[in-house]
């Protein structure tokens, strides 16, 4: 029979508790000294913990960029939003780049006039009355070619001769290929391609603009410098995925880099955004709600708002995005308001709108609720979606909204690194 040795009462005490227990027969003076020493130890430990946290925060600011994925169909306002972010938080870089937009703005202007001329040629009932105007403005055809050549675009061909720059032309716009960003086109604009007279193609084009568009005194001026508003409204269409890097220049986040991935919104390019899901802190989805009465370019059977809703639903359903902060911009509210004021019926294109009042407050509230309901219904897990009614070209309002969005992304980022509670 195996005998059992009785355990002493001390054996049942946890070793850690025993180590922390005060000495036996401790005097009052000894106890006071011990407690003072322990308090000092805790104070030093807390200081060390705080220093570690601060160093971790500082390292994160230096090494960890904040990555944001911009999603939305073509012409939803993604690139415009990125411009305003740069204008607001990387001002010096914005100022250095702004003059480079001059040629792009002139090209946007000339192309718009030429599109009007094209439309007039097809309008037989007014063509005879517009012949003189068309003759006077016909040199703008050559201006467009010169400006496109100045930006490095191939004349008479869709693909840029300098293919590595990733810029090519379409009948009504300048397009940027994947990974080039607008900097590629603007870099080309800075390089003066000389003609025999010693003046650049862009200078020659400006002379024609001055002669034929006399009413546009501000833009068609030899000393014209683009304003912030001009650049925000300038059009460079994104094709593929563009990467834009901005270093915050002031404030508590000075020195932190933000990276925006601007994904081309056409349906043929949407497969490109999947690889970016794994490494972004937030997604800003832009849904242009003014397009309820428009069709997709190249697909006359698909309503643009319907396409945007389907795109949004796909994003909300993705299990890869459950931990990514989701921000919704219901964009182009200014255009929606103008359409409704003209009497364009929302119910005609969205029957579920019913007999509600066909005005901006009612329509915007309805559309916002529909998008948020999609997120609630289709998200794999319950999540909060931050939504804003926006007009991307309204720089003042967008700066305020982006400020709130930036703070939200930063706070969420810090929480994920356990830097704030």
């Amino acid at each position: 029979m195996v005998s059992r040795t009785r355990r002493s009462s001390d054996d049942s005490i946890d070793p850690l508790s025993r180590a922390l227990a005060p000495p036996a027969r401790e005097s009052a003076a000894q106890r006071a000294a011990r407690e003072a020493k322990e308090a000092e130890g805790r104070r030093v430990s807390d200081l060390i913990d705080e220093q570690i946290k601060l160093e971790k925060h500082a390292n994160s600011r230096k090494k960890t960029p904040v990555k944001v994925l911009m999603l939305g169909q073509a012409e939803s306002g993604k690139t415009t939003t990125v411009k305003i972010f740069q204008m607001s938080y990387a001002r010096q870089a914005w100022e250095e780049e702004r003059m480079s937009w001059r040629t792009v703005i002139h090209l946007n202007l000339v192309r718009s006039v030429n599109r009007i001329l094209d439309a007039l040629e097809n309008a037989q009932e007014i063509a005879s009355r517009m012949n003189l105007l068309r003759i006077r403005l016909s040199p703008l055809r050559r201006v467009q070619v010169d400006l496109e050549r100045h930006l490095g675009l191939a004349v008479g061909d869709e693909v840029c001769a300098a293919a590595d720059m990733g810029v090519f032309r379409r009948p009504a716009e300048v397009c940027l290929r994947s990974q080039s960003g607008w900097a590629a086109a603007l870099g080309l604009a800075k390089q003066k391609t000389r003609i025999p007279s010693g003046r650049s193609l862009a200078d020659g084009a400006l002379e024609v603009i001055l002669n034929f568009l006399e009413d546009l005194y501000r833009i068609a001026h030899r000393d014209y410098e683009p304003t912030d508003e001009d650049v925000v409204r300038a059009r460079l269409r994104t094709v593929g995925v563009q990467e834009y890097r901005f270093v915050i220049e002031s404030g508590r986040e000075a020195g932190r880099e933000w990276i925006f991935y601007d994904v081309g919104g056409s349906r043929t390019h949407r497969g490109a955004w999947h690889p970016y899901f794994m490494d972004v802190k937030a997604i800003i989805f832009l849904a242009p709600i003014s397009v309820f009465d428009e069709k997709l370019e190249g697909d006359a059977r698909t309503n643009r708002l319907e396409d945007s809703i389907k795109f949004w639903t796909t994003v909300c359903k993705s299990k890869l995005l459950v931990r990514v902060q989701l921000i919704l911009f219901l964009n182009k509210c200014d255009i929606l308001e103008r359409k409704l004021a003209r009497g364009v019926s929302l119910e005609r294109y969205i029957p579920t709108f019913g007999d509600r009042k066909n005005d901006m407050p009612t329509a915007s509230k309805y559309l916002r609720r529909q998008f948020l309901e999609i997120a609630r219904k289709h998200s794999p897990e319950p999540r909060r979606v931050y939504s804003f009614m926006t007009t991307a070209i309204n720089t003042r309002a967008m700066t305020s909204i982006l400020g709130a969005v930036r703070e939200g992304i930063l706070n969420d980022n810090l929480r994920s690194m356990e830097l704030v509670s």
Side-chain angles (χ1 to χ4, degrees):
M1 182 175 181
V2 179
S3 62
R4 296 184 178 178
T5 304
R6 178 176 295 179
R7 298 173 61 186
S8 67
S9 60
D10 288 344
D11 291 340
S12 64
I13 300 177
D14 179 84
L16 182 59
S17 299
R18 187 185 301 120
L20 296 175
R25 293 186 289 276
E26 182 181 46
S27 68
Q30 289 173 330
R31 179 181 179 182
R34 175 178 56 81
E35 289 179 346
K37 184 177 180 180
E38 290 174 352
E40 177 63 15
R42 286 193 297 271
R43 187 186 69 82
V44 172
S45 178
D46 290 343
L47 285 175
I48 293 173
D49 290 343
E50 184 65 23
Q51 185 63 32
I52 291 174
K53 182 184 291 187
L54 291 174
E55 289 178 358
K56 186 177 181 181
H57 190 182
N59 289 335
S60 71
R61 290 177 61 184
K62 294 177 181 178
K63 298 179 181 179
T64 306
V66 177
K67 298 182 179 181
V68 180
L69 181 60
M70 308 292 294
L71 292 179
Q73 65 180 201
E75 300 182 3
S76 60
K78 300 186 298 298
T79 305
T80 301
T81 301
V82 174
K83 287 182 193 175
I84 294 177
F85 187 94
Q86 181 190 18
M87 181 183 73
S88 302
Y89 299 108
R91 188 71 197 182
Q92 182 176 345
W94 172 266
E95 294 286 355
E96 292 173 355
E97 192 173 88
R98 186 169 55 184
M99 274 301 294
S100 300
W101 284 91
R102 175 178 157 128
T103 303
V104 176
I105 292 168
H106 284 154
L107 178 56
N108 286 171
L109 178 63
V110 172
R111 281 185 160 179
S112 297
V113 174
N114 284 335
R115 291 188 75 179
I116 295 173
L117 294 177
D118 291 338
L120 292 176
E121 288 180 359
N122 296 326
Q124 298 298 326
E125 66 278 6
I126 63 172
S128 59
R129 289 180 290 159
M130 305 302 295
N131 279 338
L132 179 59
L133 177 62
R134 291 194 351 244
I135 292 172
R136 292 183 61 194
L137 295 179
S138 60
L140 292 180
R141 303 288 188 185
R142 183 67 219 175
V143 170
Q144 179 173 330
V145 172
D146 287 345
L147 290 176
E148 289 172 346
R149 180 178 293 155
H150 184 66
L151 285 171
L153 305 179
V155 178
D157 193 352
E158 179 177 310
V159 181
C160 175
D164 59 322
M165 289 297 182
V167 188
F168 67 96
R169 69 189 295 266
R170 287 188 177 182
E173 59 195 343
V174 180
C175 301
L176 299 178
R177 285 200 181 280
S178 176
Q179 298 300 322
S180 66
W182 63 60
L186 300 187
L188 290 172
K190 293 178 181 178
Q191 301 170 10
K192 296 287 188 178
T193 306
R194 295 291 169 182
I195 54 178
S197 65
R199 296 160 54 223
S200 74
L201 290 172
D203 291 337
L206 179 58
E207 289 300 319
V208 181
I209 294 173
L210 287 167
N211 292 332
F212 286 91
L213 302 178
E214 297 175 359
D215 292 334
L216 301 177
Y217 292 114
R218 185 177 63 85
I219 294 177
H221 193 279
R222 292 177 180 84
D223 298 324
Y224 166 65
E225 295 185 7
T227 65
D228 290 347
E229 296 289 338
D230 294 339
V231 177
V232 166
R233 292 170 181 268
R235 179 69 176 139
L236 279 176
R237 183 171 180 174
T238 302
V239 178
V241 179
Q242 317 300 319
E243 180 181 296
Y244 304 113
R245 294 175 174 265
F246 307 125
V247 177
I248 304 300
E249 295 175 353
S250 61
R252 66 184 180 92
E253 287 296 314
R256 179 185 286 277
E257 184 179 44
W258 284 62
I259 303 176
F260 287 84
Y261 300 109
D262 180 1
V263 178
S266 65
R267 288 189 291 179
T268 57
H269 296 104
R270 290 180 187 172
W273 36 267
H274 286 287
Y276 297 88
F277 282 1
M278 305 302 295
D279 198 28
V280 295
K281 296 300 180 184
I283 285 178
I284 298 179
F285 186 98
L286 286 99
I289 55 177
S290 64
V291 298
F292 65 90
D293 60 342
E294 301 175 23
K295 300 293 185 180
L296 279 180
E297 181 182 353
D299 183 1
R301 298 172 300 175
T302 304
N303 179 277
R304 283 193 63 191
L305 182 59
E306 179 184 355
D307 175 72
S308 192
I309 290 173
K310 289 180 179 179
F311 194 1
W312 170 248
T313 303
T314 301
V315 171
C316 292
K317 284 182 175 180
S318 174
K319 294 181 179 180
L320 295 175
L321 300 179
V322 172
R323 306 301 177 192
V324 177
Q325 192 169 343
L326 197 54
I327 301 160
L328 172 66
F329 283 2
L330 297 171
N331 197 34
K332 302 196 176 181
C333 290
D334 57 331
I335 301 176
L336 174 63
E337 186 171 18
R338 290 199 296 269
K339 284 185 177 181
L340 297 175
R342 292 201 310 266
V344 182
S345 171
L346 192 61
E347 181 189 9
R348 177 182 175 185
Y349 299 93
I350 308 177
T352 54
F353 185 70
D355 59 356
R356 294 175 175 84
K357 192 174 182 180
N358 197 65
D359 62 8
M360 183 61 186
T362 307
S364 60
K365 182 179 179 180
Y366 173 82
L367 292 171
R368 187 178 200 168
R369 186 169 62 246
Q370 298 307 307
F371 273 86
L372 293 179
E373 178 61 19
I374 289 171
R376 186 197 66 79
K377 180 179 179 180
H378 293 288
S379 293
E381 297 180 12
R383 68 188 308 174
R384 181 175 181 180
V385 177
Y386 299 87
S387 62
F388 300 87
M389 308 301 297
T390 61
T391 297
I393 60 174
N394 185 335
T395 55
R396 179 174 296 180
M398 283 297 291
T399 297
S400 177
I401 290 172
L402 286 173
V405 168
R406 174 173 166 263
E407 286 298 315
I409 294 174
L410 284 173
N411 289 336
D412 185 71
N413 188 41
L414 293 177
R415 276 191 293 270
S416 70
M417 294 186 293
E418 300 181 349
L419 296 178
V420 298
S421 58

